Amino acid sequence: MKNNKTSMNVQPATKRIKNFSEAVLSFNKKQAMLQAQRCPQCSQPECVKACPLGVDIPGFIRLIREGDLAKALQKLREDNSLTGICGRLCEAPCEKACIFSKDGGQPIAIKSLERAAFDLGNVRLQEIFNAQASNKSAKKVAVIGSGPAGLMAAANLIEDGHSVTVFDALDKNGGMLRYAACDFHLPRKVLDAEIDYVRSLGTAYVHNTLIGQEQMITEFLLNDFQAVLIATGLGFETGAQAADRSIKGVITGQELLFRVNFLSSYEPAKAVLPFLGQKVIVMGNSLDAMECGRLLLRLGKKVTFVHEGSDDELPFPEEEKILAQEEGLTWEGFAKVVDITQDKTGAVAGVRCARLDFADQDGDWILMPVKDSDFIIDADTVVICGLYEANTSFTRLGGGLKVNKQGCLAVKRDQCATNLKGVFAAGGVTQGVMPLVQALAQGKKAAREIDEYLQKA
């Protein structure tokens, strides 16, 4: 049992970042096999119950332990068609459920093992690509959006024997995976390989097509397709904190990420950016806040991350905080930004914050500002993160689809079906911001519902 306390979850990061795409290295084969040997192969694995995709975690780990990473990858593909992406960006609820995580122990590095299976098991990638779905039905499905939910649904529908065409408004697939995740988190060669994998199954991709403006969703159903899945994900929030964003030196996280990751082909030197000073405050309890923080460090900035609440409430693994701090990020937890201070020219001068602590309110412990705890952090740039809204732009010209009070596309209770027959929805467009693995699980669930619908049609 000695090895059970050994930490192999996080590889060492370097404080001096040499290049923009520098990332933490994956396990090599020896490290992966040693880590896999720690897994006790539980008879009733809690990790599987915690995985929204239902991945056979003990099964793929057992194959790694035996040294067959290619078979481990194939085992993962049975439940997760985008395992190369999940092995890098998943929030890893399985690790929190691992029996070794109890009482502060070190869980099995499941996410890192999944990544190793993809990185090292892809020597047989072409063999896997050639295992295309057979017995295709005459039923055709349109998937609108090629983010995580759309790609997962497309892969599952193809495996169910249907014909799938994925439509994207941009000239490249990936959605939020492409323009919101930096190269050091999700290398573009990995994203492109996963998109190619879905294509290899038989999926067709159509780019530069704005559904709802160039063609209505109802026209799809009347003409070429028997079912439609809407997986348009998230768009930029346009209304929140508009006053703050009018201050010189304030930028949203989405704009920063989009300009660097998408418009400049992931080369920050080519990015056309608004003013970015040397001292930057990143605010927001969101995954894109951490993405922006680590990106700005690579742009040579001094970065302070300000967030409310405890680290347990942050939507990313503990390793993200560790790596960011090792790279040079300053951390201010339990702090609420009260306002953005300005200099005489109206530009950012800093942020005024208040300390937070838990207080008992009628039996509920909630975070409250601590009296006389205000402090100011000097800054010349503020990045506001987490301002996303469901991308329902396709409904503005009519078509009959309903949008709920939260601004998300309305679906039936515990289903992916919308109010229109044959039209389904999954991912951020139905719930707003959600963890990656939840978006993947929704795509998988939508594919199952569409398959059942088509069988009855």
Side-chain angles (χ1 to χ4, degrees):
M1 297 292 292
K2 189 187 238 178
N3 286 336
N4 290 340
K5 298 268 184 196
T6 303
S7 174
M8 295 185 67
N9 240 8
V10 179
Q11 297 291 320
T14 173
K15 291 184 179 180
R16 294 185 179 180
I17 303 168
K18 297 178 181 179
N19 58 67
F20 173 69
S21 62
E22 182 178 326
V24 181
L25 297 176
S26 177
F27 286 149
N28 58 36
K29 186 173 182 179
K30 179 182 177 181
Q31 290 172 321
M33 291 178 68
L34 288 173
Q35 179 68 200
Q37 289 172 11
R38 294 183 58 226
C39 179
Q41 297 288 300
C42 301
S43 58
Q44 296 182 330
E46 294 297 321
C47 56
V48 176
K49 295 178 184 178
C51 176
L53 294 170
V55 170
D56 181 0
I57 295 171
F60 95 81
I61 290 179
R62 185 165 57 250
L63 289 166
I64 292 178
R65 187 167 61 186
E66 295 169 358
D68 197 335
L69 280 85
K71 281 189 177 179
L73 176 57
Q74 287 180 297
K75 171 60 73 173
L76 280 159
R77 292 281 200 206
E78 292 175 4
D79 299 300
N80 182 3
S81 300
L82 302 178
T83 186
I85 295 168
C86 217
R88 286 171 164 82
L89 299 181
C90 183
E91 294 77 9
C94 53
E95 293 187 12
K96 294 179 181 180
C98 176
I99 62 168
F100 289 148
S101 67
K102 296 178 180 178
D103 302 321
Q106 186 67 44
I108 305 300
I110 301 169
K111 176 180 173 182
S112 295
L113 288 174
E114 182 176 14
R115 174 178 171 177
F118 177 85
D119 291 350
L120 305 176
N122 259 338
V123 291
R124 286 169 53 189
L125 187 60
Q126 192 59 48
E127 178 183 334
I128 297 170
F129 276 9
N130 290 336
Q132 297 183 8
S134 59
N135 301 320
K136 290 198 182 298
S137 72
K139 305 295 177 66
K140 296 181 179 180
V141 183
V143 175
I144 303 171
S146 65
L151 290 174
M152 177 65 86
N156 279 264
L157 285 164
I158 287 286
E159 290 166 357
D160 288 334
H162 304 296
S163 176
V164 180
T165 302
V166 175
F167 294 85
D168 199 291
L170 301 174
D171 62 350
K172 293 182 180 179
N173 298 111
M176 296 289 285
L177 295 172
R178 188 171 293 279
Y179 69 76
C182 292
D183 199 55
F184 56 82
H185 259 150
L186 180 62
R188 291 307 172 262
K189 63 181 181 180
V190 173
L191 175 59
D192 290 339
E194 291 290 67
I195 291 170
D196 286 343
Y197 171 72
V198 177
R199 178 188 286 109
S200 77
L201 297 174
T203 303
Y205 294 121
V206 177
H207 301 106
N208 301 310
T209 303
L210 286 170
I211 306 301
Q213 296 184 29
E214 298 175 3
Q215 190 173 12
M216 300 300 293
I217 290 172
T218 49
E219 292 176 353
F220 272 54
L221 294 171
L222 289 173
N223 298 325
D224 298 327
F225 299 96
Q226 283 75 53
V228 175
L229 173 65
I230 301 170
T232 49
L234 304 173
F236 293 176
E237 175 73 61
T238 55
Q241 294 176 298
D244 285 342
R245 283 185 281 167
S246 67
I247 301 172
K248 180 182 177 182
V250 175
I251 183 175
T252 64
Q254 306 99 308
E255 181 180 355
L256 175 63
L257 293 171
F258 190 78
R259 285 179 177 273
V260 171
N261 290 340
F262 199 84
L263 298 181
S264 65
S265 299
Y266 323 110
E267 297 184 43
K270 295 182 179 180
V272 179
L273 297 172
F275 170 78
L276 288 176
Q278 193 61 30
K279 295 180 289 185
V280 184
I281 300 292
V282 175
M283 51 183 284
N285 290 23
S286 58
L287 182 58
D288 62 323
M290 185 52 56
E291 203 79 11
C292 287
R294 296 180 68 184
L295 165 62
L296 288 161
L297 290 170
R298 284 161 171 75
L299 291 172
K301 309 301 180 183
K302 180 181 178 182
V303 184
T304 302
F305 176 49
V306 180
H307 77 98
E308 303 174 19
S310 66
D311 293 352
D312 292 338
E313 298 170 310
L314 291 170
F316 44 80
E318 174 69 13
E319 68 188 61
E320 285 295 320
K321 175 182 177 180
I322 295 171
L323 295 174
Q325 288 179 320
E326 288 182 353
E327 290 171 356
L329 183 139
T330 301
W331 200 271
E332 286 286 354
F334 287 99
K336 179 181 178 64
V337 174
V338 177
D339 70 279
I340 298 173
T341 61
Q342 302 175 55
D343 62 19
K344 294 180 180 179
T345 68
V348 170
V351 295
R352 185 185 305 277
C353 302
R355 289 292 178 198
L356 301 175
D357 201 356
F358 287 102
D360 186 355
Q361 295 285 319
D362 299 323
D364 292 327
W365 289 93
I366 61 174
L367 281 172
M368 298 287 289
V370 176
K371 185 178 180 180
D372 299 327
S373 65
D374 286 14
F375 63 100
I376 292 178
I377 305 174
D378 291 336
D380 38 34
T381 303
V382 174
V383 180
I384 303 175
C385 299
L387 304 182
Y388 291 101
E389 62 182 11
N391 180 10
T392 58
S393 58
F394 53 87
T395 65
R396 292 170 189 166
L397 297 180
L401 285 166
K402 294 182 179 179
V403 175
N404 61 28
K405 294 179 180 179
Q406 289 72 42
C408 299
L409 195 61
V411 292
K412 296 179 181 179
R413 185 180 181 89
D414 298 325
Q415 296 182 40
C416 296
T418 69
N419 61 294
L420 294 183
K421 184 179 179 181
V423 180
F424 300 78
V429 71
T430 66
Q431 293 184 26
V433 178
M434 65 174 62
L436 169 73
V437 70
Q438 292 289 351
L440 294 174
Q442 278 213 358
K444 190 174 178 178
K445 182 176 186 292
R448 185 168 59 250
E449 289 187 24
I450 292 171
D451 180 52
E452 292 172 356
Y453 167 78
L454 292 175
Q455 289 184 34
K456 296 175 183 177

